[in-house]
Amino acid sequence: MTSLYEIEVTGIDGRVHRMAEYRGRVLLVVNVASRCGYTSQYAGLEELHRRFADRGLSVLGFPCDQFGHQEPGTEAEIRQFCSLTYDVTFPMFAKVEVNGRNAHPLFRHLTRDLRGLLRTRRIKWNFTKFLLDRDGRGVKRYPPKVKPAQLVPDLDRLLGNDP
């Protein structure tokens, strides 16, 4: 079994990173798409990033084109869309698959511990959110319909008192 912190991820700029870079931070990992009914959640994710980054939160966006071809663009197009449309400043990564034989190891890891409805591992749609504590342990999985603002009470608990 691979540790979360051993997993490599590729940034939207093509640089390879290890999840170990986020050790000690609360993580909100989200599979995102630019042509989805939930795409407007980028604004809420950015709000969480700006509000809680100094307290130890890292929002991590992973574009995914497995659901209705809702992320057809290249990494450069996705980056431009996120920047111009939602002023996204949280880390974005290269497109990944989240289900099936080619699922990225990060999402295999996340879905092993954080199951969905009826305890399924399969991710049903874009903007599924995975919350991890500072030790990289899965805390909660949120379905796409849960808006980022609804995560604030859980984030406050994990991040501790506001400085």
Side-chain angles (χ1 to χ4, degrees):
M1 182 175 354
T2 303
S3 159
L4 170 74
Y5 297 121
E6 294 172 11
I7 297 171
E8 290 186 346
V9 292
T10 302
I12 203 158
D13 61 1
R15 291 188 304 153
V16 175
H17 303 268
R18 282 191 179 250
M19 289 299 294
E21 294 174 28
Y22 299 101
R23 188 183 307 271
R25 297 189 63 80
V26 170
L27 301 179
L28 182 62
V29 179
V30 186
N31 63 306
V32 295
S34 59
R35 294 184 182 171
C36 175
Y38 297 108
T39 299
S40 63
Q41 287 190 21
Y42 267 122
L45 294 170
E46 180 63 21
E47 172 61 29
L48 292 179
H49 168 71
R50 291 177 188 213
R51 180 174 173 186
F52 293 108
D54 289 345
R55 290 175 57 195
L57 174 68
S58 289
V59 176
L60 307 177
F62 288 84
C64 178
D65 193 38
Q66 280 190 291
F67 306 101
H69 197 49
Q70 294 180 344
E71 190 56 273
T74 65
E75 273 76 13
E77 291 167 335
I78 295 165
R79 186 182 203 176
Q80 182 176 23
F81 170 81
C82 289
S83 177
L84 295 176
T85 309
Y86 292 102
D87 194 24
V88 167
T89 60
F90 58 82
M92 291 287 295
F93 296 86
K95 260 200 270 195
V96 297
E97 290 188 18
V98 298
N99 290 322
R101 177 180 301 162
N102 297 319
H104 190 281
L106 174 61
F107 285 88
R108 281 195 206 128
H109 180 88
L110 294 172
T111 58
R112 183 181 64 235
D113 295 333
L114 295 170
R115 304 291 177 107
L117 187 63
L118 304 176
R119 303 271 314 134
T120 60
R121 289 179 71 164
R122 188 165 186 76
I123 293 172
K124 303 291 187 215
W125 209 254
N126 290 310
F127 289 90
T128 297
K129 301 157 201 73
F130 296 87
L131 183 61
L132 291 79
D133 69 13
R134 292 182 189 273
D135 295 317
R137 291 185 301 252
V139 174
K140 195 167 183 179
R141 176 174 169 167
Y142 306 89
K145 68 180 178 180
V146 173
K147 295 178 180 155
Q150 293 174 269
L151 280 61
V152 168
D154 291 338
L155 292 172
D156 273 332
R157 274 191 295 281
L158 284 173
L159 295 168
N161 292 332
D162 196 39

